[in-house]
Amino acid sequence: MPKTSQAAGLHRASLDKLHDLDAALELMYYGWRGMTLEADDYLARQGLSRPHHRILYVVARRPDIAIGALIEILGISKQALNRPLGLLLERKLLTSKRSPEQHRSKLLRLTVAGQRIEQKASDHERKVMRAAFDRAGASGAAAWMAVMGAIADSN
Amino acid sequence: MPKTSQAAGLHRASLDKLHDLDAALELMYYGWRGMTLEADDYLARQGLSRPHHRILYVVARRPDIAIGALIEILGISKQALNRPLGLLLERKLLTSKRSPEQHRSKLLRLTVAGQRIEQKASDHERKVMRAAFDRAGASGAAAWMAVMGAIADSN
DNA sequence: GCTTCATGTCAACTATGTTGACTTGAGATG
DNA sequence: CATCTCAAGTCAACATAGTTGACATGAAGC
């Protein structure tokens, strides 16, 4: 099931560059894949995947978040959230309780098991980033973040 | 410009950071989204999407590529390739001809219309990268590429 | 009471991918 | 010639991640 990482995506540096920025496009693709590959593998072994991780990641950083706010942050429809969220609740990685005074909203929170999985999955990603930053040095890391910030804010 | 780009993914900078590298994880996510957003939008208006663009991108840089080699490079199964490839052929964005001597393989090539769409979609992505690189300067761009290369090669 | 409205759920659909099993057609080889 | 191989293509069943539309629920307001 885990594909050989060689065939997982564009084969690095095997394509002619038609434009000077083609290398950057391919690096973005490979970089995204490279950062998420191990984490996705780990998640798959837990019977989970990227959307589940996204939910866990956000809830870990916003305990007692309401479902509506989570939908906003994830940028998906509430219907799309429904199934992965249901699985996480069923697997008891998340708890949902109604707030006493705000009885309309359900508040989400990670269980200890959910915290463990969120942390392990994110750790795989952070490990990749840490290794790359170590090789690039502090100034390289800062430059990387500046460029990524510019790209992220370009819309 | 720093508009609170509401539902387009994680809301920038709105989450607490549990680890010092969380900002990097989020930047990778936003960066990928930021680079591809306009291109995906353009593709959607053409009735196409990311997998179609990936095919066009590779074939543009490897004219007369065989289907088997394309599968290798894209890292997907031939069945998964089948539908998007069929659409591109039907829309006459790609041609497929059997090679004279290697009669077993079909060789793929972009039509003029296919070249145009590939170029326009990739242009959207290059435009985003160019703007970010311009803001970061040549050394920043080089640092970005070094970090991304390290991430890409980490598997 | 009855309506309003945010929240949440269910159903049907689309798209992209996966395996597995099979066919087709040309090349190579006994 | 017969047959085996191999790239390509097809068909079916399924998983996952997303979409809209329709509907249920429940606190709040008239």
Side-chain angles (χ1 to χ4, degrees):
Chain A
M1 168 166 313
K3 305 214 63 93
T4 69
S5 59
Q6 285 305 338
L10 294 173
H11 189 84
R12 270 273 274 160
S14 65
L15 297 174
D16 287 348
K17 302 297 179 284
L18 297 180
H19 301 265
D20 58 340
L21 287 164
D22 282 356
L25 302 191
E26 293 170 29
L27 279 171
M28 183 70 92
Y29 180 79
Y30 296 131
W32 171 254
R33 297 290 249 93
M35 190 189 85
T36 56
L37 209 71
E38 265 188 56
D40 284 345
D41 220 61
Y42 165 74
L43 288 163
R45 286 194 302 275
Q46 313 302 314
L48 302 173
S49 56
R50 191 129 294 275
H52 303 107
H53 184 203
R54 265 184 281 152
I55 295 171
L56 294 174
Y57 184 93
V58 173
V59 176
R61 284 153 188 80
R62 287 269 198 109
D64 285 334
I65 191 174
I67 291 185
L70 184 56
I71 285 166
E72 266 280 302
I73 291 179
L74 294 176
I76 59 175
S77 64
K78 64 186 169 178
Q79 295 89 336
L81 182 65
N82 195 36
R83 264 179 291 192
L85 182 62
L87 179 63
L88 294 175
L89 289 168
E90 188 197 320
R91 297 262 300 264
K92 298 197 195 309
L93 303 177
L94 282 183
T95 57
S96 116
K97 58 161 197 242
R98 302 209 101 106
S99 81
E101 70 287 340
Q102 255 295 87
H103 211 268
R104 289 193 193 180
S105 320
K106 276 189 185 174
L107 305 185
L108 301 173
R109 204 170 247 280
L110 295 191
T111 63
V112 174
Q115 280 172 25
R116 242 189 72 237
I117 289 188
E118 189 282 322
Q119 188 150 345
K120 282 199 176 190
S122 299
D123 271 346
H124 283 293
E125 300 181 354
R126 283 188 292 259
K127 189 191 70 183
V128 173
M129 294 308 299
R130 184 169 300 118
F133 282 175
D134 281 354
R135 278 173 61 175
S139 69
W144 182 89
M145 293 191 66
V147 171
M148 285 308 250
I151 297 167
D153 291 338
S154 73
N155 305 289
Chain B
M1 28 180 301
K3 67 164 149 193
T4 42
S5 66
Q6 52 277 50
L10 295 172
H11 189 83
R12 271 274 272 163
S14 66
L15 296 174
D16 286 348
K17 303 298 180 282
L18 297 181
H19 300 265
D20 58 340
L21 287 164
D22 282 356
L25 303 190
E26 292 169 31
L27 278 171
M28 183 70 92
Y29 180 78
Y30 297 131
W32 172 254
R33 297 287 251 95
M35 190 188 85
T36 56
L37 210 71
E38 266 189 54
D40 284 345
D41 219 60
Y42 165 74
L43 289 163
R45 286 195 302 273
Q46 313 302 314
L48 302 174
S49 55
R50 191 129 293 276
H52 303 107
H53 184 203
R54 265 184 280 154
I55 295 171
L56 295 174
Y57 184 94
V58 172
V59 176
R61 282 151 189 81
R62 286 270 198 108
D64 286 335
I65 191 174
I67 291 184
L70 184 56
I71 285 166
E72 267 278 302
I73 291 178
L74 294 177
I76 60 175
S77 64
K78 64 183 169 184
Q79 294 90 335
L81 182 65
N82 194 36
R83 265 178 291 191
L85 182 62
L87 178 64
L88 294 174
L89 289 168
E90 188 197 320
R91 297 260 302 261
K92 297 198 196 312
L93 303 178
L94 282 183
T95 57
S96 114
K97 59 160 197 244
R98 302 209 101 107
S99 81
E101 70 287 341
Q102 254 297 84
H103 214 265
R104 287 192 193 180
S105 317
K106 276 192 181 174
L107 305 185
L108 301 173
R109 205 169 247 281
L110 294 191
T111 63
V112 174
Q115 280 171 25
R116 244 190 70 238
I117 288 186
E118 188 282 322
Q119 188 150 346
K120 283 199 178 190
S122 299
D123 271 346
H124 283 293
E125 301 180 354
R126 284 188 291 260
K127 188 190 69 182
V128 173
M129 294 307 299
R130 183 169 301 116
F133 282 174
D134 282 353
R135 277 174 60 176
S139 68
W144 182 88
M145 294 190 65
V147 171
M148 286 307 250
I151 297 167
D153 291 339
S154 72
N155 305 290

